[in-house]
């Protein structure tokens, strides 16, 4: 539950700011909907986490969770907004998940080899 402030910086354009991990930044709008960091983080987590969403290219699930209309450009925009809000955090999660997946794959290969050597 962040603090969201609305202001007019140039007298015409409406902007909203939000606080993400202690940083104040401009909020992003996709399809005329303000995307808050909290709602985006929750939608990504409900879709399986950042690593899964990126690896399986499932930004359409995140888009649907946010209640936005289907569009490839919207999926790209949501990913861009996530990187803006959570850049290093999202990448760290992706790296940890990739490392865990590599360990699982190596373990499966070892178990296949040991089963095949037992048969021989």
């Amino acid at each position: 539950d962040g603090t969201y402030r609305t202001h007019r910086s140039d007298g015409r354009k409406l902007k909203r700011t939000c606080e993400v991990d202690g940083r104040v930044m401009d909020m992003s709008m996709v399809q005329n909907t303000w995307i808050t960091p909290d709602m985006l983080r929750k939608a990504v987590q409900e879709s399986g986490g950042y690593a899964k969403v990126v690896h399986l290219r499932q930004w359409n699930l995140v888009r649907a969770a946010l209640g936005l209309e289907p569009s490839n450009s919207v999926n790209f925009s949501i990913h861009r907004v996530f990187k803006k809000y959570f850049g290093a955090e999202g990448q760290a999660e992706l790296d940890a998940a990739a490392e865990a997946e590599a360990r699982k794959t190596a373990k499966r290969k070892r178990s296949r080899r040991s089963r095949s050597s037992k048969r021989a």
Side-chain angles (χ1 to χ4, degrees), residues 24-41:
V24 176
M25 60 178 55
D26 290 338
M27 263 178 37
S28 295
M29 183 181 271
V30 177
Q31 284 187 349
N32 295 318
T33 302
W34 291 105
I35 305 297
T36 68
D38 298 329
M39 66 192 281
L40 182 56
R41 181 181 280 152

Side-chain angles (χ1 to χ4, degrees), residues 52-68:
K52 181 179 178 183
V53 169
V54 169
H55 182 69
L56 300 176
R57 299 179 184 203
Q58 293 184 332
W59 288 101
N60 57 330
L61 297 177
V62 177
R63 177 208 35 83
L66 293 171
L68 302 173

Side-chain angles (χ1 to χ4, degrees), residues 100-111:
E101 186 62 33
R103 282 194 302 266
K104 284 182 189 175
T105 303
K107 187 176 180 179
R108 276 183 263 161
K109 285 181 181 178
R110 284 193 304 269
S111 69

Side-chain angles (χ1 to χ4, degrees), residues 83-94:
K83 285 181 179 179
K84 173 185 172 182
Y85 289 159
F86 309 111
E89 178 185 317
Q91 188 60 45
E93 183 186 336
L94 180 61

Side-chain angles (χ1 to χ4, degrees), residues 6-15 34:
T6 304
H7 61 89
R8 291 183 184 273
S9 60
D10 59 3
R12 294 180 314 219
K13 188 175 182 183
L14 182 68
K15 285 189 175 185
W34 291 105

